[in-house]
Amino acid sequence: MDFKMKYQYTYFIYPYLIEGKKYQNYIYQLLKNSNCKLKLFDRKKDVGIDTYFLPELKEKMFWSIEKKPSEIKQLETMDKKMQATILSQQPCNIFEYALEEDVPGKIGEAGGIFFDITKVEIICFHTGECFLLLKTMLTENQNFSDLLNFNYKFRDINSKAEHNKQYEAIKIQTGKLNNMQSFSEFIKKIAGHNLKAKQINLNTDRLITYSYVCLNQASWNENTDKNLLEKEFEKFRTVKSAREQIEDVSLKEAYTYQEKYLYYGFSNNTTVLLTCDNNIKNYTTLLFQFENEQLYHFIFNLYKKIYLKKLNYEFQQTGQFERIKKEFLGFAKKEWIYEVTYDEIGKVLEKYYAEEQILQTMFYKLKQKYDLLYKDYEIAKNKQSNKWMIILMTILIIMNLICIGIAIYN
């Protein structure tokens, strides 16, 4: 049995890092790009963002929502270099990227899976953690199995490893991205060589998957084989192909949140939502919330994870402890203790996002490393201070003896 979809989309997310000294120029290059436009938020237009997030996170990720129209107009009238200077001081900037043409694509040759890239966004935090988001939608195929296969293949599209037959070549048919080499070049054009990601042990070959599916009522109802549905959901959550054999599965609370006709699934590289149109809000409001408020919520937790990995790497570098100490303490006092939302589902998501990204473990390991380095740093600093104190005291004693000698001689 194959389940029929009413609606679906998948965001594939590519994380990358920009070095601090290059960040302002990177923002400038985005502003100069005619395909790229700063995304500005407005309290009237972006009601969901305004009501979902608490003030501290709104100020960090959506600073423009608090600005007056006159302030936004003033920013827009500045030259690009001045804009880049101002924007590089904001905690986070979001850009919309318009591909030059519609980009339908297919997988394989005959009987392929056709899809569109319908939206591209770039999200950059001022500390250099950035994310390229690509929204894809299947255009002809309406079977859940097609989406399983598509997600399974597309997430490794940037991998340098040789694909075997289960990874058929994905070919973009028209537009600027006419093949997968062009796709990799497009990522490189936006993100650069992304060498810092390798330094901090960040996997960039496999794209992060964030996917929504709404099944139709005929596929998911009171008579549906729950065991079969949950096996398919497990493939969805773990990004497996439709042909993958799943043993009897009982969905675990550790990685699945359930309501009637609604399953959220989580892993360290994936967030998925499987719903059914038996509940009307699943395809009237929830599908928009999932790709707006909840997606930005997910990105914020990815940012925290990557920032912690970067700090962990930088703690190992010598001679930078004062700077890294300032960054770590600033993060601990602000971002780490932010309450993100009072939204009921949002609070559930925060719990799962934090657990799947193992943020608590990463933070406490980093804190332990910081404590050890701080002790070593203070001991070294005290030794250096004592060394200079001894030298100074020696000089004073010598000078005092000279003075005594002169006094006796006279």
Side-chain angles (χ1 to χ4, degrees):
M1 174 185 175
D2 206 343
F3 296 97
K4 297 293 182 180
M5 299 183 296
K6 185 183 183 73
Y7 191 77
Q8 48 68 37
Y9 58 78
T10 299
Y11 278 83
F12 292 98
I13 303 168
Y14 178 80
Y16 60 102
L17 290 100
I18 303 297
E19 291 185 36
K21 61 184 179 181
K22 298 179 180 178
Y23 181 71
Q24 182 174 322
N25 184 60
Y26 181 71
I27 296 296
Y28 175 59
Q29 296 303 320
L30 291 180
L31 291 170
K32 284 203 315 178
N33 190 325
S34 59
N35 293 332
C36 204
K37 182 182 178 183
L38 179 67
K39 186 171 184 177
L40 296 169
F41 294 87
D42 177 86
R43 184 161 274 123
K44 293 180 181 177
K45 174 174 64 74
D46 300 294
V47 176
I49 295 287
D50 192 35
T51 55
Y52 182 90
F53 293 105
L54 292 174
E56 286 179 327
L57 190 58
K58 272 193 292 188
E59 186 179 344
K60 183 176 181 68
M61 288 192 70
F62 315 102
W63 54 267
S64 57
I65 209 167
E66 303 289 344
K67 299 295 183 184
K68 298 176 184 177
S70 59
E71 293 175 298
I72 296 298
K73 188 174 181 180
Q74 183 181 16
L75 175 66
E76 291 175 333
T77 56
M78 295 176 181
D79 65 66
K80 296 288 191 273
K81 284 198 172 182
M82 182 57 70
Q83 285 186 40
T85 301
I86 299 297
L87 293 177
S88 65
Q89 296 169 5
Q90 296 293 348
C92 179
N93 292 293
I94 301 175
F95 294 87
E96 298 171 299
Y97 191 98
L99 293 170
E100 293 182 359
E101 300 178 37
D102 290 335
V103 190
K106 69 175 182 178
I107 297 179
E109 298 300 329
I113 301 175
F114 292 81
F115 68 97
D116 286 344
I117 298 174
T118 61
K119 183 179 177 182
V120 180
E121 281 193 355
I122 300 166
I123 302 175
C124 283
F125 293 84
H126 78 290
T127 43
E129 296 76 26
C130 296
F131 303 89
L132 175 62
L133 282 64
L134 300 103
K135 181 183 179 182
T136 61
M137 297 181 70
L138 303 190
T139 56
E140 296 181 1
N141 311 75
Q142 297 303 318
N143 291 328
F144 190 29
S145 60
D146 293 325
L147 185 80
L148 295 177
N149 288 332
F150 174 71
N151 286 354
Y152 174 65
K153 295 164 188 172
F154 196 95
R155 70 169 179 164
D156 287 322
I157 208 166
N158 195 49
S159 174
K160 298 176 181 62
E162 290 292 329
H163 297 311
N164 54 32
K165 288 184 179 180
Q166 63 184 348
Y167 291 98
E168 293 121 316
I170 298 179
K171 297 183 179 180
I172 305 292
Q173 289 180 296
T174 65
K176 190 174 180 182
L177 309 181
N178 55 10
N179 55 50
M180 284 306 95
Q181 183 178 356
S182 295
F183 183 85
S184 295
E185 289 170 359
F186 171 69
I187 290 182
K188 189 178 293 184
K189 176 183 175 182
I190 299 296
H193 293 284
N194 203 11
L195 299 177
K196 190 77 173 178
K198 295 179 181 178
Q199 289 179 339
I200 69 169
N201 196 31
L202 184 64
N203 181 12
T204 56
D205 285 346
R206 173 161 288 175
L207 302 177
I208 298 165
T209 307
Y210 186 91
S211 192
Y212 168 92
V213 168
C214 182
L215 301 177
N216 63 32
Q217 296 179 36
S219 293
W220 190 356
N221 52 56
E222 297 294 339
N223 299 317
T224 300
D225 183 335
K226 187 177 179 183
N227 188 55
L228 178 60
L229 176 68
E230 292 186 352
K231 284 183 179 181
E232 296 304 292
F233 173 76
E234 184 64 7
K235 296 176 191 177
F236 188 36
R237 184 189 73 84
T238 55
V239 197
K240 304 292 186 184
S241 70
R243 73 185 73 172
E244 187 86 16
Q245 294 299 311
I246 300 292
E247 300 299 326
D248 288 341
V249 61
S250 177
L251 298 184
K252 296 180 181 177
E253 187 179 345
Y255 52 73
T256 305
Y257 172 74
Q258 302 180 49
E259 292 183 5
K260 190 170 185 179
Y261 299 122
L262 179 152
Y263 290 163
Y264 277 96
F266 309 90
S267 75
N268 65 349
N269 217 33
T270 307
T271 294
V272 298
L273 175 56
L274 180 65
T275 66
C276 173
D277 65 355
N278 267 310
N279 185 337
I280 193 169
K281 81 167 190 176
N282 287 344
Y283 68 95
T284 55
T285 58
L286 185 56
L287 79 157
F288 297 113
Q289 291 172 348
F290 189 67
E291 71 166 324
N292 287 286
E293 301 94 82
Q294 294 178 12
L295 174 57
Y296 289 129
H297 188 171
F298 179 56
I299 292 293
F300 180 64
N301 279 279
L302 290 178
Y303 149 74
K304 288 195 290 187
K305 176 181 179 178
I306 295 173
Y307 187 72
L308 287 171
K309 287 174 75 74
K310 187 176 75 171
L311 284 180
N312 182 60
Y313 169 78
E314 291 181 344
F315 268 146
Q316 299 170 30
Q317 311 308 304
T318 58
Q320 301 185 51
F321 185 77
E322 279 292 347
R323 179 180 66 82
I324 307 303
K325 172 181 135 182
K326 183 178 179 181
E327 286 190 30
F328 175 69
L329 292 178
F331 176 80
K333 290 176 182 177
K334 293 181 181 179
E335 282 93 335
W336 184 248
I337 60 173
Y338 277 164
E339 272 192 284
V340 174
T341 182
Y342 287 156
D343 181 86
E344 289 303 315
I345 289 293
K347 288 189 287 186
V348 170
L349 293 178
E350 177 66 13
K351 170 180 173 290
Y352 280 99
Y353 288 160
E355 287 177 357
E356 291 302 330
Q357 301 306 322
I358 56 172
L359 293 180
Q360 290 283 352
T361 301
M362 289 179 66
F363 180 81
Y364 287 119
K365 282 185 176 180
L366 188 60
K367 184 180 180 302
Q368 288 175 347
K369 181 177 286 189
Y370 166 80
D371 290 340
L372 290 172
L373 289 171
Y374 181 77
K375 289 176 183 176
D376 290 342
Y377 177 75
E378 287 297 311
I379 290 170
K381 193 165 71 170
N382 287 336
K383 283 182 178 178
Q384 187 70 11
S385 178
N386 291 338
K387 175 184 174 183
W388 286 109
M389 185 66 70
I390 291 169
I391 291 172
L392 180 59
M393 288 177 65
T394 302
I395 292 172
L396 289 174
I397 290 170
I398 292 171
M399 289 178 64
N400 192 41
L401 290 173
I402 291 171
C403 290
I404 292 171
I406 292 172
I408 293 172
Y409 180 78
N410 291 335

